[in-house]
Amino acid sequence: LVTDYFEVLKGEFGMEDVLSNSPQAQMAAASPEEARLTFDLILSRRVRGVMCIAYDAYLRQVTCQMVRNGVRGMIVAHLGWILPSWPTDDLGSHTCTLAQMLRGANYFLSSAPTAWNPNSTSTVPCQTNLKHTVNEFSMEYDGL
């Protein structure tokens, strides 16, 4: 489903998959080494923006590589169940500081609909009862 979604987006927006047919299109591990290989390939393609579906651990590694290579202003759109605190979580997993990670994520766009938020304090905006929380919505949807 994910690759089908990207195919539709590519067609609609005239985007090019610069990593197609490359082993770096999918990082093998959320490690600085893998992130460097993927980031080097992205950088060599001279793109202005990146779109990815990734877990936060992978996104942190690539962001740190961007910072370490002095990249600024690259637009990154990431899709996934990622908390807003992703740049500052797990700082021990890479070599960037908190300030560097925040600066590196400056131009990132996130797809984080409220319905994906697992906590019980966020409300679901599409409900007529604006006090309906995500957990309540989930329980009702699952029939619990």
Side-chain angles (χ1 to χ4, degrees):
L1 292 175
V2 170
T3 54
D4 293 343
Y5 178 70
F6 270 124
E7 290 302 317
V8 169
L9 285 179
K10 282 176 17 185
E12 281 185 26
F13 298 108
M15 296 164 48
E16 179 184 353
D17 184 355
V18 298
L19 298 184
S20 73
N21 302 320
S22 166
Q24 264 54 58
Q26 294 183 7
M27 289 172 55
S31 68
E33 297 79 22
E34 284 291 320
R36 185 186 53 76
L37 292 171
T38 299
F39 179 73
D40 286 350
L41 185 58
I42 290 169
L43 202 55
S44 74
R45 302 292 202 255
R46 304 184 56 78
V47 297
R48 178 76 173 113
V50 175
M51 178 183 233
C52 65
I53 295 180
Y55 291 108
D56 55 355
Y58 292 84
L59 194 56
R60 271 193 290 278
Q61 294 295 340
V62 172
T63 303
C64 184
Q65 289 299 318
M66 290 174 62
V67 168
R68 295 183 60 73
N69 285 279
V71 172
R72 294 178 312 162
M74 181 181 281
I75 298 168
V76 176
H78 56 87
L79 309 170
W81 290 266
I82 298 177
L83 293 171
S85 60
W86 73 264
T88 58
D89 292 341
D90 198 16
L91 286 173
S93 67
H94 50 76
T95 58
C96 290
T97 66
L98 178 121
Q100 288 173 319
M101 290 299 286
L102 289 173
R103 189 171 59 247
N106 228 8
Y107 293 92
F108 282 35
L109 305 173
S110 174
S111 168
T114 309
W116 289 355
N117 192 336
N119 73 43
S120 61
T121 58
S122 295
T123 57
V124 181
C126 59
Q127 298 293 313
T128 54
N129 173 5
L130 293 179
K131 294 184 180 188
H132 202 73
T133 68
V134 173
N135 280 350
E136 290 167 337
F137 174 81
S138 176
M139 288 173 64
E140 182 180 300
Y141 182 80
D142 292 336
L144 301 176

